[in-house]
Amino acid sequence: MKKNVLIVLGAPNSPDGKLSVISKSRLNHCASIFAKENLVLCTGGWGDQFNTSNKPHAQYCKAYLIKNGVLRHAFLDFALSSNTVDDAVKIKPIVKALNQVRLTVITSDYHLERVKLIFNEILKSFELKYVGVKSNLSEEAYNKLVSHEKKAVKSILENGLYY
């Protein structure tokens, strides 16, 4: 039987490590679907656009998930990535070392299309399931992110994926 690996993609946190609303929405979804036979993989190292603190984003995520009921022994190594393509690249060797796994990739609704494009290419040898969690952002903030995603998807479609 295949083990399910819940992969939570990174999102912003403050310079002192406080998780953003976007990050918490992804983590809350992970905690809500976690079952004791699941494994969990948190992504996110550092980057000017999402984490300038002294600890990797994934470390804050793991602490939050443990506080919210995810078992400590369920965690795989962190994928210390700096962007979405880097997420997939750094996830690959971690999950490749496991036998018989299915990947559930948890991101935000506005980010889902780009994640699918990237992960379907880089992790194509795995069984993939995607969850786009509702963002709960202001309309203005949401529209700004949607606009960014449309540009990023267009760039991938026009120029291909480099990794």
Side-chain angles (χ1 to χ4, degrees), residues 3 5 39 41 76 93-101 103 126:
K3 255 200 186 300
V5 179
L39 296 171
L41 195 161
L76 296 169
I94 297 168
V95 295
K96 209 172 183 179
L98 305 169
N99 288 323
Q100 299 274 327
V101 293
L103 310 179
F126 293 90

Side-chain angles (χ1 to χ4, degrees), residues 23-89:
S23 192
K24 284 182 180 177
S25 67
R26 296 175 186 185
L27 294 166
N28 288 338
H29 183 78
C30 178
S32 76
I33 65 169
F34 176 76
K36 66 179 187 234
E37 63 276 0
N38 294 155
L39 296 171
V40 177
L41 195 161
C42 296
T43 74
W46 296 269
D48 290 342
Q49 75 282 17
F50 76 98
N51 180 22
T52 58
S53 77
N54 61 348
K55 293 179 183 167
H57 175 73
Q59 190 170 327
Y60 299 118
C61 293
K62 179 179 178 179
Y64 184 90
L65 287 169
I66 289 170
K67 206 184 321 183
N68 285 278
V70 174
L71 303 174
R72 193 175 292 276
H73 73 269
F75 289 89
L76 296 169
D77 290 342
F78 296 146
L80 297 178
S81 50
S82 59
N83 59 59
T84 309
V85 173
D86 202 26
D87 283 338
V89 168

Side-chain angles (χ1 to χ4, degrees), residues 7 87-93 95-96 103 105 117-128 130 163:
I7 299 171
D87 283 338
V89 168
K90 290 189 171 151
I91 286 166
K92 191 173 185 177
V95 295
K96 209 172 183 179
L103 310 179
V105 182
L117 266 176
I118 294 166
F119 280 57
N120 285 342
E121 168 65 27
I122 298 172
L123 297 169
K124 61 183 159 217
S125 63
F126 293 90
E127 183 182 332
L128 294 160
Y130 297 96
Y163 58 98

